């Protein structure tokens, strides 16, 4: 219930609030700014949290320390009510519905920045390739076997190569299975042949041992 806007409003009486950061646990030092996304890497924290309120002037810190003498601070008031119960559930559900246009705009902006970064790195690598540094060393960069292909085409080639390897592996396993069945079938045929030969030899031995009184 105690969100950033509520904390900023409560401590505004002490002085102008510059920023409010909510963390899972206390962290030493200044918190580095991170690029946040509305749709990705959104981790919901349950339980108690730690808030850092930063004032524009040092006097705001001194005024905030003296707030304990004035009594408790109210988060929910008539002018700024905090939603609870079913109204809070409805608001949470409405906030969870993704705006497709806004999501597409964020993804497109991210991919444009990523493509620009990759293009700059490739241009820098191509510029430095073959050029010795101050100590005379030449930097060798590793390029793909098929450079210059678009990212989508390269991805398709990787998928096709994986499918080809998977198909070859499956054919090899099928060949081994077929070879195993043929070897087993030949072994069974040899056992049957030997059984018939032994059967005939035993019958011949019994015929030769018939009783002859004269």
């Amino acid at each position: 219930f105690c969100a950033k806007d509520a904390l900023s409003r409560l401590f505004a009486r002490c002085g102008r609030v510059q920023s409010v950061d909510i963390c899972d646990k206390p962290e030493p030092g200044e918190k580095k700014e991170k690029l946040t996304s509305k749709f990705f890497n959104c981790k919901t924290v349950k339980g108690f949290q730690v808030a850092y309120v930063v004032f524009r002037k040092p006097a705001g810190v001194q005024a905030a320390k003296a707030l304990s003498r004035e009594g408790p601070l109210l988060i929910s008031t008539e002018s700024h009510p905090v939603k609870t119960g079913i109204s809070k559930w409805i608001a949470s559900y409405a906030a969870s519905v993704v705006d497709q246009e806004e999501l597409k705009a964020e993804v497109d902006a991210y991919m444009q920045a990523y493509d620009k970064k990759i293009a700059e790195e490739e241009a820098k690598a191509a510029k430095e390739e073959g050029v010795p540094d101050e100590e005379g060393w030449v930097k060798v960069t590793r390029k793909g076997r098929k450079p210059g292909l678009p990212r989508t085409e390269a991805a398709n080639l990787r998928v096709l190569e994986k499918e080809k390897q998977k198909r070859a592996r499956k054919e090899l396993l099928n060949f081994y299975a077929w070879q195993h069945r043929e070897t087993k079938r030949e072994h069974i045929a040899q056992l049957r042949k030997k059984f018939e030969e032994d059967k005939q030899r035993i019958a011949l031995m019994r015929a030769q041992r018939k009783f002859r009184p004269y």
Side-chain angles (χ1 to χ4, degrees):
F1 301 105
C2 194
K4 290 184 178 181
D5 55 348
L7 290 173
S8 180
R9 177 176 52 83
L10 291 175
F11 286 96
R13 67 182 70 180
C14 303
R16 191 171 182 181
V17 177
Q18 180 176 343
S19 64
V20 177
D21 293 327
I22 299 179
C23 307
D24 303 346
K25 55 184 178 180
E27 298 180 357
E30 296 183 358
K31 189 176 180 181
K32 297 181 180 179
E33 294 184 359
K34 297 181 180 180
L35 297 177
T36 58
S37 173
K38 182 180 178 181
F39 304 99
F40 304 101
N41 299 328
C42 298
K43 183 177 65 173
T44 303
V45 181
K46 296 182 179 179
F48 294 101
Q49 296 173 292
V50 178
Y52 292 91
V53 181
V54 180
F55 295 93
R56 286 189 176 273
K57 296 182 180 181
V61 179
Q62 301 299 329
K65 291 181 178 180
L67 284 177
S68 58
R69 306 172 187 172
E70 301 179 4
L73 302 178
L74 300 180
I75 300 176
S76 181
T77 60
E78 294 183 358
S79 57
H80 298 87
V82 174
K83 293 183 179 180
T84 58
I86 191 171
S87 60
K88 184 178 183 299
W89 298 342
I90 294 174
S92 299
Y93 174 78
S96 65
V97 178
V98 177
D99 187 352
Q100 297 182 0
E101 295 296 332
E102 190 176 357
L103 175 61
K104 183 177 182 301
E106 181 174 334
V107 172
D108 291 342
Y110 177 83
M111 294 308 302
Q112 289 177 3
Y114 177 79
D115 292 339
K116 183 179 179 182
K117 178 182 177 183
I118 295 299
E120 292 176 352
E121 291 178 354
E122 292 178 352
K124 182 179 179 181
K127 185 178 180 181
E128 295 178 353
E129 185 176 6
V131 179
D133 56 8
E134 297 178 354
E135 298 180 358
W137 293 94
V138 178
K139 183 178 180 181
V140 179
T141 58
R142 180 180 178 182
K143 295 184 178 180
R145 290 176 293 180
K146 297 181 180 180
L149 293 175
R151 178 162 29 84
T152 54
E153 186 176 352
N156 292 336
L157 289 176
R158 287 195 298 270
V159 172
L160 292 176
E161 186 67 22
K162 289 183 180 180
E163 290 294 332
K164 184 179 179 181
Q165 294 177 1
K166 187 185 299 183
R167 184 164 56 252
R169 193 182 302 111
K170 186 176 180 181
E171 291 176 356
L172 184 62
L173 292 176
N174 292 338
F175 173 75
Y176 286 153
W178 174 82
Q179 190 178 28
H180 179 70
R181 288 195 299 268
E182 288 296 323
T183 304
K184 189 175 181 180
R185 190 179 293 110
E186 292 178 1
H187 181 64
I188 293 175
Q190 291 178 1
L191 290 177
R192 288 178 178 174
K193 182 179 179 181
K194 188 174 183 301
F195 176 75
E196 293 295 333
E197 292 177 353
D198 293 344
K199 186 177 179 182
Q200 293 177 4
R201 186 166 58 252
I202 291 173
L204 181 61
M205 292 174 61
R206 287 179 178 176
Q208 291 177 354
R209 287 186 295 180
K210 286 185 178 180
F211 177 73
R212 297 177 182 179
Y214 303 103

